[in-house]
Amino acid sequence: MSKIISIIKNTVLAAGVVMLVEGCEVDIMPTSRYSEESTWSNPANIELYIAENYNEFQRFKFGTFPIGYDNATDALTDIMKYTSTVSGNGTVNILATDASRVNAAGPQLNYWQNAYARIRRLNEFIDGINKYGKIDDAAKKQYEGEARFIRGYVYFWLVKLHGSVILFDNINQYGDKAHERSSEEDCWKFIAADFQFAADNLPAQWPTTKTGRATKGAAFGMLARTWLYAASIAEYDKKQFNADELTGVSAANAQTYYQNAATAAQAVIDMASQGYYALESNFASTFYNKNTKEALFKIDFVSPQLKHTYDQGFAPPNDAPGQCLVYGVPTAQLVDEFEMKDGTKFLWSNSTQAANPYANRESRFYASILYNNAMWKGRALNTTAANTQEGFAEYGVSTEPRRTVTGYYAKKMLDSTNTTFIVNGSTQQWIEMRYAEVLLIHAEAMTKLNNISAAQQSLNKVRNRAGLPNTNASTTEQMMEAVEHERKVELAFEGHRYWDLRRWRKAHTLLNGVRFSGHRITPAGAGYNYEVVNCDNANRQFTPALYYIPIPTTELQNNQGLTQIKGW
C-alpha cells in the first residue's frame, strides 16, 4: 500500500464520525483493495485530504517557526528580547549571539524534512485528483489552486532559508534518488507560478462553511510578497555574500520583479475597492475581530477544540502569578521607533518628550506596547526595578526571570479580556497576511519603480489609519526609509523583521557586533528616571554566511545529487 493511500485511509477512518454526522456518503473499499483510483474518485476523500494539508499553517502560527517559540525570529532582531538565558526558552538568545550555532549538523532553522514531506503529499494530491477525481474541471482547478497555494507557501519558507532548493512539481520526479538544487531565481519563479495559478483559480470568497481556505486575494498577496523578496535579493545581494553558483538573483531582473510585486499587490487593492478587503478603522481591533476584512489569510481558534498559549507566553506576570512565561519583551529600539501622534519623531533629547515619554504617542504604540503605568486588566503596570513581580529585571542575573528585561511587555495580540488563559487557553486569531502588509509591499515596489506618488498613496493609507499625517518623504531614498520604518512598527511581533533585514541585506550590519537595550525606570520626585541599559550581555552576531542557511547534513547523505550551499 502506498504512503498516500495509507494516509487517506487513516484520515477517512478517523473522520468517519464527522462525516456521518454531516450526512456525507463515503464508499470505503476493503483496506486490502485500496487503490489510487478508488481513493481519489471519492469527492469526500478529496475534501478531507485538502483540509488536512491546511494543517501545515499551524506550524507557523504566531511566528513560532522555525525556532519553536512564538515571535522568536523577532527576538533575533532589534525589536524583541527573549528573557531566558538557557537552551529552550532562551535558544533564540544563544543563536542571536553565537552565529556558529547555526550549522549543517545542528537542528536550528531546519524545515527541510517536514517541508518535503508536505510537498510530496501535495504533489500526490494534485496528481490523484487530475487523474481520477470524479469532479468537474473547474473543481479540479480549484482544488489544485488550493494545493499549489500551500505548496507555494512551503517553498517560500524553504527558499527564504536556503535560497537554492530542490523543486518538485510532479510525482514522476520521485523515482530518481539523486535530486539537484535549482537556482534561487528559478525557485522564486516556481513559487510565483504556484501563487499565480492559485490566484487564477481560487474564489474571491468562500461560503461561511469553508472559511479559512485560501482565496484569490490571499494568493495575490503571497504572490506580491514572493516577487518583493526576489526583487530585493536581485537588488541587494549581488553575490557579495555567497559564492554558490545557484544562489542569488540576477540584478538585471530587479525592476521586472518589483513591477511583478506591484502588479500583484494592485490586484488586492482592486479587490479592496470592490469591498473584499479594508483596513480596520481601529488598528488594535485587527487582531481580535474574527470577521476583519483586513485579513487575507488567517488561522482561527475556537475553544475548547482548537486553542493556543500565546497569552501565557507573553502576558505580564501578574496576569497569572507564577505561571506566565514572559518569553519575549519589546526593546527600547522598537519603543523609541513609534512616532508622536502628530507624526514627529520621538526623541529622548526633547526634554518635554523625555519627561513623559509615553504620552501623546501614535495609536499603534498603545496597541503594541505595555509600559510603566499603562492600564492593563484593571491595574496600572509597575515596571520599575523596585517591583519584583513584574518590574525590570537585569538580563542574565536569573536564567528564567519570567518578567521584563527591558522595562516593557508586548501588548499586541494579547487578549485583554482573557483572565483564564492558563486553564482555558487562548483563541485570538493568527493573521498570516493582512491588507496593511499588501499596501506596504505596494509602497516599497512603487518606490523602487520611482513612482513616488503611488508609493506615498499606499504608505499613507497605513499611516492615516494609525491617525498619523501623510509622509513627508519625497525622494526614493526618503521613501525607502519611510517604508522600512512603517514595516518595523506596523508589523512588529508578526514575524517580518528578521526576514526583512535579510532580504535588504542589512542584517550583517544591524544585527552584528551590537547590543540592544531597554529602560531601567526608577521614581524621581513626581516623575521617573529612564536609564538606558543593555538587555544583551554579549554582542549580537550575524555573519554574511547566514543569508543562506546550510542544508542539514543528513539530507546530503540521503540524496546523492544534493550538494551543500557553498560556504558551509
Side-chain angles (χ1 to χ4, degrees), residues 93-110:
N93 287 323
I94 297 170
L95 295 176
T97 57
D98 186 357
S100 70
R101 295 300 185 104
V102 177
N103 55 69
Q108 290 86 5
L109 308 181
N110 181 8

PDB file of all heavy atoms in Angstrom, residues 93-110:
ATOM      1  N   ASN A  93      18.251  33.499  22.088  1.00  0.00           N
ATOM      2  CA  ASN A  93      19.353  34.348  22.544  1.00  0.00           C
ATOM      3  C   ASN A  93      20.705  33.726  22.235  1.00  0.00           C
ATOM      4  O   ASN A  93      21.668  34.427  21.896  1.00  0.00           O
ATOM      5  CB  ASN A  93      19.232  34.606  24.049  1.00  0.00           C
ATOM      6  CG  ASN A  93      18.113  35.575  24.379  1.00  0.00           C
ATOM      7  OD1 ASN A  93      17.865  36.519  23.651  1.00  0.00           O
ATOM      8  ND2 ASN A  93      17.422  35.325  25.487  1.00  0.00           N
ATOM      9  N   ILE A  94      20.776  32.403  22.371  1.00  0.00           N
ATOM     10  CA  ILE A  94      22.016  31.703  22.040  1.00  0.00           C
ATOM     11  C   ILE A  94      22.325  31.863  20.559  1.00  0.00           C
ATOM     12  O   ILE A  94      23.467  32.152  20.165  1.00  0.00           O
ATOM     13  CB  ILE A  94      21.898  30.219  22.423  1.00  0.00           C
ATOM     14  CG1 ILE A  94      21.715  30.079  23.943  1.00  0.00           C
ATOM     15  CG2 ILE A  94      23.116  29.426  21.957  1.00  0.00           C
ATOM     16  CD1 ILE A  94      21.345  28.682  24.405  1.00  0.00           C
ATOM     17  N   LEU A  95      21.308  31.710  19.705  1.00  0.00           N
ATOM     18  CA  LEU A  95      21.505  31.857  18.268  1.00  0.00           C
ATOM     19  C   LEU A  95      21.863  33.296  17.902  1.00  0.00           C
ATOM     20  O   LEU A  95      22.666  33.532  16.994  1.00  0.00           O
ATOM     21  CB  LEU A  95      20.239  31.434  17.520  1.00  0.00           C
ATOM     22  CG  LEU A  95      19.835  29.960  17.625  1.00  0.00           C
ATOM     23  CD1 LEU A  95      18.515  29.727  16.901  1.00  0.00           C
ATOM     24  CD2 LEU A  95      20.915  29.061  17.049  1.00  0.00           C
ATOM     25  N   ALA A  96      21.251  34.253  18.593  1.00  0.00           N
ATOM     26  CA  ALA A  96      21.466  35.662  18.262  1.00  0.00           C
ATOM     27  C   ALA A  96      22.877  36.127  18.586  1.00  0.00           C
ATOM     28  O   ALA A  96      23.380  37.069  17.965  1.00  0.00           O
ATOM     29  CB  ALA A  96      20.456  36.529  18.997  1.00  0.00           C
ATOM     30  N   THR A  97      23.513  35.483  19.557  1.00  0.00           N
ATOM     31  CA  THR A  97      24.834  35.934  19.998  1.00  0.00           C
ATOM     32  C   THR A  97      25.956  34.978  19.622  1.00  0.00           C
ATOM     33  O   THR A  97      27.116  35.251  19.917  1.00  0.00           O
ATOM     34  CB  THR A  97      24.841  36.148  21.528  1.00  0.00           C
ATOM     35  OG1 THR A  97      24.443  34.936  22.181  1.00  0.00           O
ATOM     36  CG2 THR A  97      23.893  37.264  21.920  1.00  0.00           C
ATOM     37  N   ASP A  98      25.642  33.873  18.979  1.00  0.00           N
ATOM     38  CA  ASP A  98      26.664  32.908  18.575  1.00  0.00           C
ATOM     39  C   ASP A  98      26.296  32.332  17.220  1.00  0.00           C
ATOM     40  O   ASP A  98      25.551  31.353  17.119  1.00  0.00           O
ATOM     41  CB  ASP A  98      26.785  31.786  19.618  1.00  0.00           C
ATOM     42  CG  ASP A  98      27.932  30.825  19.318  1.00  0.00           C
ATOM     43  OD1 ASP A  98      28.597  30.993  18.267  1.00  0.00           O
ATOM     44  OD2 ASP A  98      28.164  29.901  20.126  1.00  0.00           O
ATOM     45  N   ALA A  99      26.803  32.956  16.170  1.00  0.00           N
ATOM     46  CA  ALA A  99      26.452  32.548  14.808  1.00  0.00           C
ATOM     47  C   ALA A  99      26.883  31.123  14.511  1.00  0.00           C
ATOM     48  O   ALA A  99      26.301  30.464  13.639  1.00  0.00           O
ATOM     49  CB  ALA A  99      27.080  33.510  13.804  1.00  0.00           C
ATOM     50  N   SER A 100      27.883  30.615  15.228  1.00  0.00           N
ATOM     51  CA  SER A 100      28.373  29.259  14.961  1.00  0.00           C
ATOM     52  C   SER A 100      27.356  28.186  15.339  1.00  0.00           C
ATOM     53  O   SER A 100      27.488  27.032  14.918  1.00  0.00           O
ATOM     54  CB  SER A 100      29.678  29.004  15.721  1.00  0.00           C
ATOM     55  OG  SER A 100      29.442  28.915  17.118  1.00  0.00           O
ATOM     56  N   ARG A 101      26.336  28.562  16.114  1.00  0.00           N
ATOM     57  CA  ARG A 101      25.307  27.584  16.495  1.00  0.00           C
ATOM     58  C   ARG A 101      24.430  27.178  15.305  1.00  0.00           C
ATOM     59  O   ARG A 101      23.726  26.174  15.367  1.00  0.00           O
ATOM     60  CB  ARG A 101      24.428  28.149  17.610  1.00  0.00           C
ATOM     61  CG  ARG A 101      25.154  28.392  18.922  1.00  0.00           C
ATOM     62  CD  ARG A 101      25.747  27.106  19.490  1.00  0.00           C
ATOM     63  NE  ARG A 101      26.334  27.326  20.806  1.00  0.00           N
ATOM     64  CZ  ARG A 101      25.781  26.957  21.941  1.00  0.00           C
ATOM     65  NH1 ARG A 101      24.623  26.329  21.940  1.00  0.00           N
ATOM     66  NH2 ARG A 101      26.376  27.204  23.086  1.00  0.00           N
ATOM     67  N   VAL A 102      24.436  27.974  14.250  1.00  0.00           N
ATOM     68  CA  VAL A 102      23.735  27.603  13.023  1.00  0.00           C
ATOM     69  C   VAL A 102      24.734  26.888  12.130  1.00  0.00           C
ATOM     70  O   VAL A 102      25.691  27.485  11.644  1.00  0.00           O
ATOM     71  CB  VAL A 102      23.156  28.829  12.302  1.00  0.00           C
ATOM     72  CG1 VAL A 102      22.493  28.406  10.988  1.00  0.00           C
ATOM     73  CG2 VAL A 102      22.159  29.551  13.193  1.00  0.00           C
ATOM     74  N   ASN A 103      24.532  25.592  11.929  1.00  0.00           N
ATOM     75  CA  ASN A 103      25.456  24.811  11.116  1.00  0.00           C
ATOM     76  C   ASN A 103      24.728  23.626  10.517  1.00  0.00           C
ATOM     77  O   ASN A 103      23.584  23.332  10.875  1.00  0.00           O
ATOM     78  CB  ASN A 103      26.650  24.351  11.950  1.00  0.00           C
ATOM     79  CG  ASN A 103      26.226  23.596  13.200  1.00  0.00           C
ATOM     80  OD1 ASN A 103      25.713  22.479  13.106  1.00  0.00           O
ATOM     81  ND2 ASN A 103      26.427  24.211  14.369  1.00  0.00           N
ATOM     82  N   ALA A 104      25.381  22.954   9.595  1.00  0.00           N
ATOM     83  CA  ALA A 104      24.730  21.859   8.866  1.00  0.00           C
ATOM     84  C   ALA A 104      24.401  20.672   9.760  1.00  0.00           C
ATOM     85  O   ALA A 104      23.490  19.897   9.457  1.00  0.00           O
ATOM     86  CB  ALA A 104      25.633  21.409   7.716  1.00  0.00           C
ATOM     87  N   ALA A 105      25.121  20.522  10.861  1.00  0.00           N
ATOM     88  CA  ALA A 105      24.874  19.383  11.741  1.00  0.00           C
ATOM     89  C   ALA A 105      23.776  19.651  12.750  1.00  0.00           C
ATOM     90  O   ALA A 105      23.208  18.722  13.329  1.00  0.00           O
ATOM     91  CB  ALA A 105      26.164  19.012  12.479  1.00  0.00           C
ATOM     92  N   GLY A 106      23.457  20.925  13.006  1.00  0.00           N
ATOM     93  CA  GLY A 106      22.519  21.276  14.058  1.00  0.00           C
ATOM     94  C   GLY A 106      21.086  21.319  13.584  1.00  0.00           C
ATOM     95  O   GLY A 106      20.801  21.385  12.387  1.00  0.00           O
ATOM     96  N   PRO A 107      20.135  21.303  14.507  1.00  0.00           N
ATOM     97  CA  PRO A 107      18.717  21.306  14.151  1.00  0.00           C
ATOM     98  C   PRO A 107      18.137  22.703  13.965  1.00  0.00           C
ATOM     99  O   PRO A 107      16.988  22.830  13.578  1.00  0.00           O
ATOM    100  CB  PRO A 107      18.087  20.621  15.368  1.00  0.00           C
ATOM    101  CG  PRO A 107      18.969  21.047  16.515  1.00  0.00           C
ATOM    102  CD  PRO A 107      20.358  21.127  15.946  1.00  0.00           C
ATOM    103  N   GLN A 108      18.901  23.742  14.269  1.00  0.00           N
ATOM    104  CA  GLN A 108      18.333  25.081  14.237  1.00  0.00           C
ATOM    105  C   GLN A 108      17.946  25.505  12.813  1.00  0.00           C
ATOM    106  O   GLN A 108      18.641  25.216  11.855  1.00  0.00           O
ATOM    107  CB  GLN A 108      19.310  26.103  14.824  1.00  0.00           C
ATOM    108  CG  GLN A 108      19.512  25.984  16.326  1.00  0.00           C
ATOM    109  CD  GLN A 108      20.585  24.981  16.698  1.00  0.00           C
ATOM    110  OE1 GLN A 108      21.229  24.441  15.830  1.00  0.00           O
ATOM    111  NE2 GLN A 108      20.743  24.745  17.986  1.00  0.00           N
ATOM    112  N   LEU A 109      16.858  26.252  12.724  1.00  0.00           N
ATOM    113  CA  LEU A 109      16.394  26.822  11.453  1.00  0.00           C
ATOM    114  C   LEU A 109      16.259  25.741  10.384  1.00  0.00           C
ATOM    115  O   LEU A 109      16.655  25.928   9.231  1.00  0.00           O
ATOM    116  CB  LEU A 109      17.355  27.927  10.989  1.00  0.00           C
ATOM    117  CG  LEU A 109      17.673  29.017  12.020  1.00  0.00           C
ATOM    118  CD1 LEU A 109      18.614  30.056  11.424  1.00  0.00           C
ATOM    119  CD2 LEU A 109      16.422  29.683  12.543  1.00  0.00           C
ATOM    120  N   ASN A 110      15.687  24.619  10.744  1.00  0.00           N
ATOM    121  CA  ASN A 110      15.594  23.475   9.847  1.00  0.00           C
ATOM    122  C   ASN A 110      14.135  23.144   9.547  1.00  0.00           C
ATOM    123  O   ASN A 110      13.367  22.829  10.449  1.00  0.00           O
ATOM    124  CB  ASN A 110      16.286  22.265  10.476  1.00  0.00           C
ATOM    125  CG  ASN A 110      16.236  21.031   9.579  1.00  0.00           C
ATOM    126  OD1 ASN A 110      15.827  21.094   8.424  1.00  0.00           O
ATOM    127  ND2 ASN A 110      16.657  19.914  10.122  1.00  0.00           N
TER     128      ASN A 110
END
